[in-house]
Amino acid sequence: MRTSSVTAGQAPEFNWENPYLLLTPGPLSTSPTVRAVMLRDWCTWDDEYNLGIVTPIRDGLVRLASASQPQLFTSVLMQGSGTFSVEAMIGSTVPQDGKLLVLANGEYGNRLGRIAATLKIPHLIHDTGELAAPDLGKLEASLAGDPAITHVVCVHNETTTGMLNPIKEIAAIVKGRGRTLLLDSMSAFGGIPMDMAELKIDFLVSSANKCIQGVPGFGFVIARRDELMKCQGRARSLSLDLYDQWQGMEKGHGKWRYTSPTHVVRAFAQAMQELEAEGGVAARYKRYSENQRRLLNGMESLGFRCVLPRELHSPIITGFHSPQHPDYSFAKFYQELKSRGFVIYPGKVTNIDSFRIGTIGHVFPEDIDRLIKAVQASMYWV
Ligand SMILES: *Cc1c(COP(=O)(O)O)cnc(C)c1O
C-alpha cells in the first residue's frame, strides 16, 4: 500500500517505489540512486557543496557541450524550471539596440516569441506551423535583408511534436551571416550527440529534468565565454541576469547568487555520473532510439499512426493520432494506462486530436515492451 502519514517528530511511512513510469518529459522517471542522494541537507556557502558538487557539474556540462573545444565555453546554472533559463538567456544576451529573429514551429518556439514580447525586445517571428521544419531560405533572406537582426533563437527538439530541427543547417546560415545563435536545447541536450564548437552555437539552454535525468528545479546555460563577456549590463531582470549569475559563480567558486535548490543540485551531480557510467551521450542516444523504435513498431502494430513522418522524428517524444472511435476519450485511456503503471501526455498540436509518449528518462527497451502490452490491454474501445 502506498500510504504516507506525517506526524510531528516521526519519520513518515512511505513507499519509495514509483507507482508508475513517467513517459511525460519532463519531469521524467529518475533512477532510485538519483532520488536517494537527496536525503541529506547541504550548506550553500560550504566548499563541500560549491567545490564538491556545483563546480564539477559546471565543468561536466561544458565537456558534454563540446568535447572538441571545451575551453571556449562556460556554464551558468539558474534556479527555476527550464523556461526561467530560456528567459535569462534571451533577456541577458540581446542588447538594447539589438533585434531577435525567432524560428517557431510549435509551442516552445512560440514561447520564445512570447518571452521577447514580454521583455519588449524588438523581434520578428518566422512561424512555419507545427508540422513543418523551419524555412531555411526565408531565414537566409531575412538575415541578408535586415541588418538590424543581431540574434537568432530556435528550438532544438520541438517537444510539441517531437520534431528534431535542422540546427546544423540553421547554424551554418546564422553564423555565415555573422549573427549570434541561441538554442533552446531543453529536451535534446544530453540525449542527442552534438558539439557546440563544431556547430558554432553561441548559447544553449537545457534543464535538470530532461535528458540528463535529474529532478526538476534548475536550468543551465552553456555559453561561449567571449560572447557571455559582452553581456554585462544587458539583462532586463535582476534575478535572471545571466552575466551576474556567471560572475557570482566564478568568483564564489560555485556559489549561486541566491539560494540554490541544494537537493536538486546534489541529485543532478549523481545523474551526471550515471550518464557517464552509461557510456555518455552516445550510449544514451542509442537507448532512447531503441526505446522509440520499439514504441513506433509496437504502436503501429496496434493500429496507431504517428503525427509526424518518421524522418522528422527525434527519439525523445512521439505524437500519435487519437483513435477515431466514438467511445475513445484520452482521459479514460490515460487512467487505464496509469492503472497499469504508465503515465502519458496529452497532445499539444493544434487541430489534431493526438497524445504523446516520451521515451527518455530512466526507461529501458524492456519497459517499452511492457508499455505496448499495457496499451493493448487499455484499448477499452476496441
Ligand atoms: C521542457 C521544455 C522547456 C521548458 O519547460 P519548463 O516547463 O519551463 O521546464 C522549454 N523548451 C523545450 C523545447 C522543452 O522541451
Side-chain angles (χ1 to χ4, degrees), residues 81-83 108 111 155 157 159 184 186-187 210:
S81 85
T83 304
Y108 293 100
R111 191 177 295 176
V155 176
N157 175 67
T159 321
D184 170 356
M186 204 71 67
S187 58
K210 298 271 167 106

Side-chain angles (χ1 to χ4, degrees), residues 64-65 156 167 188-195 199 281-286:
L64 282 184
H156 191 176
I167 51 159
F189 185 77
I192 296 181
M194 65 176 307
D195 189 312
L199 288 170
V281 177
R284 188 151 289 183
Y285 177 70
K286 216 172 141 202

Side-chain angles (χ1 to χ4, degrees), residues 24-30 81-83 108 111 157-160 184-191 205-220 268 271 275 284 287-288 316-317 345 348 356 360-362:
T24 55
L28 36 64
S29 286
T30 53
S81 85
T83 304
Y108 293 100
R111 191 177 295 176
N157 175 67
E158 181 44 87
T159 321
T160 312
D184 170 356
S185 185
M186 204 71 67
S187 58
F189 185 77
V205 186
S206 184
S207 73
N209 59 289
K210 298 271 167 106
C211 296
I212 298 181
Q213 300 182 183
V215 301
F218 74 93
F220 50 87
F268 190 74
L275 172 60
R284 188 151 289 183
R287 172 163 62 87
Y288 290 169
I316 308 295
I317 189 167
Y345 248 168
K348 228 179 195 178
R356 291 175 298 162
I360 64 177
H362 194 66

